Amino acid sequence: MKLLRYFFVGIFFGFLLIKAEVISWFRIQEMFHFQSFHMYGIMMSAMAVGMTSIFLIKKLKAKTLSGEEIKIAPKKFTWGNVIGGLIFGLGWALTGACPGPLYALVGGGVPVMAIAILSAILGTFTYGLIRNKLPH
Amino acid sequence: MKEFLSQPWPWYVSGPLIGLMVPVLLFIGNKPFGISSSLKHVCAACIPNRADYFKYDWKKELWCVVFAIGIICGGFLAGTVFQNPNPVKITPDAVATLSAMGVKDFAGLHPSGLFNFQAIFTLKGFLLIVVGGFCVGFGTRYAEGCTSGHSIMGISNLQVPSMIATACFFAGGLLMTWFILPHILNL
């Protein structure tokens, strides 16, 4: 039943994504055409809050609700960050959505995005099959 | 109440709330904010004869899938029950640019003429929805994260690979938007 808490956080996050309009193809296009501050404001303020939170968590050695020490795994550079990043960027501008928004859109009135999710699962699966042949 | 919940939220409200997902997930279960790995766990759980990449104890990662199901439900609440009756307020410049690219319908979150079930069977719709979705799934796994995992979680933790990945997300998006998408919309 511990999992239930992630369900409720997910509900909040899905609600938030729609209300922020970051899941809208129109907003994504507007961002890539540099025609509004909206998306940039969201990204920058989210990063600022995230950064401050992690800084404080580390500084105060904060613990989780169940008393564990909070640990965040560092990320290691691979060429996948570059090549995969570019490929994801292409898909982001095509669908107007990243993975979180795809889920939110399915619930939020663009049901055809369920097909995009299936296709994304297929893309993930394909990566798993051929990853040994890809540069990293 | 319903009217209040049906309005879109300005960036300075929604941005900080999105950022708060980082400490919330850390506090409630030591989880790094990120969504694209849910796609990997679905592969590990559902597809038989899997590659080594999908051989791990996916049950331990179930939280991310539960989180994703929550997002669908939250999306339903915000987009259907408390639906914003007005079109997304993009700038007049953006409306002009998109109209010039051939977009006609500006109601709703996504242009309904481009994103619907019939559209999948046209080349244009297939590229936007199916190929686009494939790139999202393949690219995020290859990059080991998406806008949540890298651009928000990774950058909040000052990780250089995440900054590089974010720059590449953007470069790919610009390339598509400026050089490829106009041709696709013309199909």
Side-chain angles (χ1 to χ4, degrees), chain B residues 150-165:
Chain B
H150 275 311
S151 309
I152 296 180
M153 184 67 202
I155 289 185
S156 292
N157 197 26
L158 309 176
Q159 299 294 300
V160 177
S162 294
M163 296 176 197
I164 295 172

Side-chain angles (χ1 to χ4, degrees), chain A residues 42-133:
Chain A
I42 287 182
M43 291 295 271
M44 286 191 284
S45 56
M47 286 171 192
V49 169
M51 254 178 231
T52 312
S53 312
I54 292 185
F55 174 79
L56 288 174
I57 284 172
K58 286 183 176 168
K59 180 114 187 151
L60 304 170
K61 300 199 169 62
K63 299 228 159 40
T64 65
L65 286 184
S66 53
E68 277 173 67
E69 187 190 338
I70 291 183
K71 279 192 200 132
I72 310 170
K75 305 215 188 244
K76 229 177 92 197
F77 176 79
T78 77
W79 281 101
N81 296 144
V82 175
I83 310 166
L86 287 170
I87 297 173
F88 164 51
L90 298 174
W92 188 15
L94 277 172
T95 56
C98 20
L102 284 179
Y103 292 119
L105 284 166
V106 168
V110 191
V112 72
M113 284 313 194
I115 305 291
I117 292 181
L118 288 179
S119 193
I121 290 172
L122 185 70
T124 302
F125 187 67
T126 307
Y127 169 74
L129 290 184
I130 63 169
R131 74 184 297 268
N132 295 331
K133 299 187 183 82

Side-chain angles (χ1 to χ4, degrees), chain A residues 5 19 24 35 58 119 135, chain B residues 28 82 91 97 109 130 142 157:
Chain A
R5 61 179 78 163
K19 291 301 164 195
S24 167
Q35 285 167 323
K58 286 183 176 168
S119 193
Chain B
I28 67 171
F82 299 105
T91 57
T97 304
L109 295 165
V130 180
Y142 195 2
N157 197 26

